[in-house]
Amino acid sequence: DDGKYVAFKVVSLLGDAGERELQAIESYRKCPLCESLLEIFDFVIQEDEDRFYYTMELADNILGANSKDYVPCTLEAILKEQKKLNVAQTRELVYHLLEGLSILHKNKLVHRDIKPANIVWINGRPKLGDIGLLANDQSMTFRAGSDGYMPSADSPISRNSTAVDLFAMTRLIFCCLSGKTAQNYMDFEE
């Protein structure tokens, strides 16, 4: 109503993935607001159409506010452009992300999909995006996340633990400082 642009996502409730994302959004919306977490505005379940939708903050435009084209400002896009971040940029990024994660973890939630494509800048501030795999202790029954950012299946890190987010953060920091992908992360177990 105020003329502000928002991101809009529609999710089908047909199948397990839609139900999981519905549970994730409902859990996420119970968390206290924090400048380091993505704000959800509208949330509507359309049971007659087997779907729900929500609106959320729109990522900054990496092409600039005056561009007619729109490309969301994600860490992935920044790393493609700059190759890597310096220590100060990485420290600031990690500070904001850990601030958001601490709220999720205090509310017994795990993000489970921390990676460069899911870190967005909104009003110049980095935030955890794509909360569709977020889980609580009742919904962490399946392995989730992205290759390179999740512990291996034989890892001693439990998939039902907030440690999976911290594991992903180590990979994210590596990518920021090295300019390499998470798949290039050294395996210290060897």
Side-chain angles (χ1 to χ4, degrees):
D1 291 338
D2 62 4
K4 186 176 182 178
Y5 288 104
V6 297
F8 180 79
K9 185 169 184 181
V10 178
V11 181
S12 171
L13 286 169
L14 301 174
D16 291 342
E19 289 295 330
R20 278 193 303 269
E21 187 157 349
L22 176 61
Q23 187 174 22
I25 298 301
E26 288 174 334
S27 296
Y28 184 83
R29 293 181 70 230
K30 293 176 186 173
C31 289
L33 284 178
C34 165
E35 289 183 339
S36 293
L37 290 176
L38 189 67
E39 187 174 352
I40 304 290
F41 300 119
D42 298 306
F43 174 73
V44 177
I45 299 174
Q46 295 178 311
E47 291 179 17
D48 58 322
E49 297 184 31
D50 294 318
R51 66 182 183 180
F52 69 94
Y53 69 85
Y54 57 100
T55 61
M56 63 198 124
E57 293 178 287
L58 184 68
D60 296 344
N61 187 353
I62 200 164
L63 301 176
N66 296 326
S67 176
K68 292 184 193 299
D69 296 321
Y70 174 75
V71 175
C73 185
T74 65
L75 180 57
E76 180 178 61
I78 290 170
L79 291 175
K80 279 184 184 172
E81 186 177 288
Q82 291 181 211
K83 303 298 181 223
K84 58 185 177 177
L85 302 181
N86 64 38
V87 172
Q89 292 169 315
T90 303
R91 182 178 48 239
E92 170 125 355
L93 170 69
V94 169
Y95 172 82
H96 291 296
L97 297 180
L98 289 177
E99 181 181 50
L101 275 180
S102 72
I103 297 216
L104 293 179
H105 293 174
K106 283 178 188 171
N107 285 275
K108 300 185 183 339
L109 298 172
V110 181
H111 187 281
R112 300 195 314 168
D113 202 18
I114 297 171
K115 62 183 180 181
N118 290 343
I119 308 303
V120 296
W121 268 257
I122 297 169
N123 298 321
R125 185 183 186 107
K127 298 186 181 200
L128 294 166
D130 196 357
I131 52 178
L133 292 179
L134 190 96
N136 58 32
D137 54 359
Q138 285 86 43
S139 61
M140 286 193 275
T141 56
F142 72 100
R143 184 166 155 65
S146 298
D147 289 339
Y149 295 92
M150 295 299 294
S152 64
D154 60 348
S155 170
I157 298 173
S158 168
R159 68 176 174 208
N160 295 337
S161 165
T162 55
V164 298
D165 286 342
L166 300 178
F167 180 94
M169 286 295 295
T170 64
R171 299 317 195 258
L172 192 77
I173 293 167
F174 170 79
C175 294
C176 289
L177 294 174
S178 71
K180 298 179 180 180
T181 67
Q183 286 73 18
N184 296 114
Y185 191 88
M186 295 177 357
D187 186 0
F188 292 109
E189 296 175 11
E190 291 183 358

